[in-house]
């Protein structure tokens, strides 16, 4: 299915509310939309299938990461648990000078991400199949990224354990969350101390057009993560640090 003229105008309007001009990027977003809707007919990549939902809740929601000024060009960024490529793919389209590694443990999803990267001609993105619990113990990846991203459905403590070990000291993790995060933040402070992180900022915003509440939680990496973390695959989600 191709993106309609109405959909393209919606994307332009919503991006403009974020201060972004996507005119030159519309062809790539259109290709991504077409590929996503095509593959999603036979492979369950995302439960969001309508045009407006894909544009606002996948494309535009991903681009809200750019409201944080610390996401700079020429950075090396890892998108942990990217799923069907969000937020990494839209960000890679808009930020061609920033390198994105898109990591997911579900093979069918990372195969789609790899196909999308090739179809869109993205020279600044790479698909990685695997688990962060294992990748973070590889010397060539541990504490090497300037930033990590996560559209988090897991608890903040779990996300912190899956991302902070991959980020260098001085770097940050940007966690995308919904409206209510105060209790979750309070419960994660002990985990952050153990992992070498701390809460740096909480940016509250509304998703353009729909006006749904969003929070961007910025975790600053202030000290090296102890070698014991992250724990074995599955443990951070089943038994979050306290």
């Amino acid at each position: 299915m191709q993106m309609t003229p109405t959909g393209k105008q919606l994307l332009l309007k919503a991006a403009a509310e974020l201060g972004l001009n996507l005119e030159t990027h519309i062809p790539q977003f259109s290709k991504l939309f077409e590929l996503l809707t095509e593959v999603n007919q036979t492979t369950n990549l995302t439960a969001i299938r309508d045009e407006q939902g894909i544009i606002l809740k996948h494309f535009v929601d991903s681009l809200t990461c750019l409201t944080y000024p610390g996401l700079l060009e020429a950075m090396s960024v890892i998108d942990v648990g990217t799923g069907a490529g969000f937020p990494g793919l839209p960000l890679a389209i808009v930020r061609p000078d920033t390198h994105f590694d898109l990591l997911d443990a579900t093979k069918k999803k990372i195969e789609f991400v790899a196909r999308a990267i090739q179809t869109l001609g993205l020279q600044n993105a790479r698909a990685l199949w695997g688990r962060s619990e294992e990748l973070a113990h590889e010397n060539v990846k541990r504490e090497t990224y300037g930033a990590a991203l996560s559209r988090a459905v897991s608890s903040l403590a779990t996300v912190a354990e899956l991302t902070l070990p991959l980020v260098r000291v001085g770097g940050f993790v940007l966690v995308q969350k919904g409206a209510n995060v105060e209790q979750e933040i309070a419960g994660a402070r002990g985990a952050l101390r153990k992992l070498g992180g701390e809460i740096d900022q909480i940016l509250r915003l509304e998703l353009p057009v729909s006006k749904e509440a969003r929070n961007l939680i910025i975790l600053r990496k202030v000290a090296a993560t102890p070698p014991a973390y992250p724990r074995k695959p599955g443990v951070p989600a089943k038994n979050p640090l306290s």
Side-chain angles (χ1 to χ4, degrees):
M1 183 172 72
Q2 294 184 336
M3 190 187 297
T4 66
T6 300
K8 293 175 184 178
Q9 288 303 313
L10 175 64
L11 179 56
L12 289 170
K13 178 180 183 292
E17 289 188 29
L18 297 175
L20 300 170
N21 184 346
L22 294 190
E23 286 281 0
T24 60
H25 301 297
I26 286 297
Q28 284 179 299
F29 277 103
S30 296
K31 284 183 182 179
L32 178 57
F33 178 85
E34 185 175 354
L35 183 62
L36 180 64
T37 53
E38 173 197 326
V39 176
N40 210 35
Q41 292 178 9
T42 56
T43 303
N44 185 23
L45 297 174
T46 169
I48 300 171
R49 295 174 180 267
D50 64 293
E51 182 178 62
Q52 180 170 316
I54 290 170
I55 290 170
L56 294 179
K57 295 184 177 181
H58 282 327
F59 295 174
V60 177
D61 187 66
S62 296
L63 295 175
T64 61
C65 293
L66 296 177
T67 61
Y68 175 59
L71 199 59
L72 304 173
E73 293 182 358
M75 290 186 75
S76 179
V77 181
I78 184 165
D79 177 5
V80 176
T82 191
F86 305 107
L89 287 176
L91 293 174
I93 291 172
V94 176
R95 282 289 183 82
D97 294 330
T98 303
H99 179 81
F100 294 91
D101 280 349
L102 283 68
L103 174 70
D104 203 89
T106 302
K107 192 171 185 180
K108 66 180 181 180
K109 291 184 178 180
I110 213 65
E111 286 175 344
F112 168 79
V113 171
R115 181 178 170 187
I117 288 170
Q118 183 177 25
T119 301
L120 298 176
L122 297 175
Q123 301 297 315
N124 61 324
R126 177 173 54 175
L128 299 178
W129 178 39
R131 302 188 66 116
S132 58
E133 297 101 320
E134 295 171 335
L135 188 69
H137 286 290
E138 296 181 11
N139 290 336
V140 293
K141 293 295 184 183
R142 188 175 182 85
E143 297 189 325
T144 59
Y145 291 94
L149 310 172
S150 177
R151 284 180 90 186
V153 292
S154 301
S155 72
L156 186 59
T158 297
V159 172
E161 186 171 357
L162 298 178
T163 55
L164 280 168
L166 289 162
V167 175
R168 61 173 173 76
V169 175
F172 66 90
V173 178
L174 189 157
V175 186
Q176 294 184 278
K177 281 284 188 179
N180 302 311
V181 295
E182 286 75 14
Q183 185 174 355
E184 196 171 335
I185 289 170
R189 293 191 185 277
L192 291 173
R193 283 193 294 271
K194 293 176 182 177
L195 296 164
E198 65 181 20
I199 301 287
D200 184 49
Q201 295 183 47
I202 304 169
L203 304 181
R204 305 184 191 280
L205 53 94
E206 290 183 338
L207 190 65
V209 181
S210 71
K211 304 305 179 184
E212 294 178 26
R214 294 288 189 271
N215 284 278
L216 301 182
I217 304 173
I218 312 301
L219 310 178
R220 183 65 57 180
K221 181 75 172 279
V222 295
T225 302
Y229 302 113
R231 292 166 293 168
K232 292 181 179 181
V235 176
K238 292 177 183 177
N239 185 23
L241 291 171
S242 59

